[in-house]
């Protein structure tokens, strides 16, 4: 039995009743649904917050956002299921692997985005590989890229940070021993560091990854 599996909830597990929805899980689910709503807006054709290049391929934009919406809805359902007694009867890693993946992706995206977009706004334009819109003059394209970088810094990257933090905390709460929580936290940090160091090295050498 692993450290993550050595967990017992004082909230009803002993007598076999569901533990109930914790405030942390409720907050994580609410934020996930809120952020999914933004993707529904884009999937339905909304254009606020969409760069010029993406607007030139609306079919791909809509399809991509429907896919993301479905993934986020599945994620919200998974978070809800974590508070059910059945989730505490299976190996913890089977429940936590998707949560770990989501947390690492969101946190690494936020860290990478904060650094690269800040570099872009200070003049290091090679730090971000913005897609190029066709049929647009250079000045308009430059303004669009600048606006996108600013918007990412004050809105979208903070959203990724909050989402990742909530997933990380939900996973940590599910591991109910000190050893399990320590293993969860260290593995998250390792995942974020590996992804972001690799991504930043690529960006600084003129190459780019999807996290940008």
């Amino acid at each position: 039995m692993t450290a993550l599996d050595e967990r017992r909830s004082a909230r009803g597990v002993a007598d076999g009743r569901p533990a109930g929805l914790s405030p942390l899980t409720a907050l994580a689910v609410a934020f996930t649904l809120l952020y999914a709503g933004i993707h529904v807006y884009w999937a339905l054709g909304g254009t606020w917050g969409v760069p010029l290049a993406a607007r030139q391929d609306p079919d791909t934009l809509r399809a991509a956002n429907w896919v993301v919406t479905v993934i986020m809805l599945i994620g919200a359902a998974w978070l809800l299921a974590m508070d059910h007694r059945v989730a505490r009867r299976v190996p913890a890693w089977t429940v936590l692997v998707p949560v770990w993946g989501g947390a690492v992706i969101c946190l690494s995206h936020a860290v990478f985005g904060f650094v690269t977009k800040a570099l872009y706004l200070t003049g290091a334009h090679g730090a971000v590989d913005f897609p190029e819109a066709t049929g647009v003059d250079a000045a308009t394209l430059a303004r669009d890229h600048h606006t996108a970088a600013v918007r990412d810094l004050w809105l979208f990257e903070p959203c990724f940070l909050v989402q990742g933090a909530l997933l990380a905390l939900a996973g940590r709460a599910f591991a109910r021993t000190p050893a399990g929580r320590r293993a969860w936290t260290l593995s998250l940090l390792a995942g974020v560091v590996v992804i972001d160091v690799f991504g930043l090295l690529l960006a600084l050498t003129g190459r780019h990854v999807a996290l940008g």
Side-chain angles (χ1 to χ4, degrees), residues 134-156:
T134 58
V136 179
D137 63 87
T140 300
L141 194 60
R143 285 195 300 272
D144 183 65
H145 290 173
H146 180 86
T147 299
V150 171
R151 186 170 50 231
D152 284 353
L153 279 177
W154 73 261
L155 178 60
F156 293 129

Side-chain angles (χ1 to χ4, degrees), residues 79-105:
L79 288 168
L80 287 172
M82 286 174 63
D83 268 354
H84 194 277
R85 63 175 179 268
V86 174
R88 303 181 184 281
R89 295 177 179 173
V90 299
W93 69 268
T94 61
V95 177
L96 289 176
V97 164
V99 182
W100 184 91
V104 168
I105 290 172

Side-chain angles (χ1 to χ4, degrees), residues 26-114:
L27 185 59
V29 170
F31 191 84
T32 300
L33 294 176
L34 176 65
Y35 206 20
I38 298 176
H39 289 282
V40 171
Y41 164 75
W42 288 327
L44 293 174
T47 59
W48 184 88
V50 179
L52 287 175
R55 296 184 196 180
Q56 293 182 341
D57 190 2
D59 291 338
T60 299
L61 178 66
R62 285 193 293 268
N65 279 286
W66 280 126
V67 170
V68 173
T69 299
V70 170
I71 292 173
M72 296 191 77
L73 291 177
I74 292 173
W78 191 272
L79 288 168
L80 287 172
M82 286 174 63
D83 268 354
H84 194 277
R85 63 175 179 268
V86 174
R88 303 181 184 281
R89 295 177 179 173
V90 299
W93 69 268
T94 61
V95 177
L96 289 176
V97 164
V99 182
W100 184 91
V104 168
I105 290 172
C106 290
L107 291 172
S108 59
H109 193 297
V111 173
F112 187 85
F114 280 130

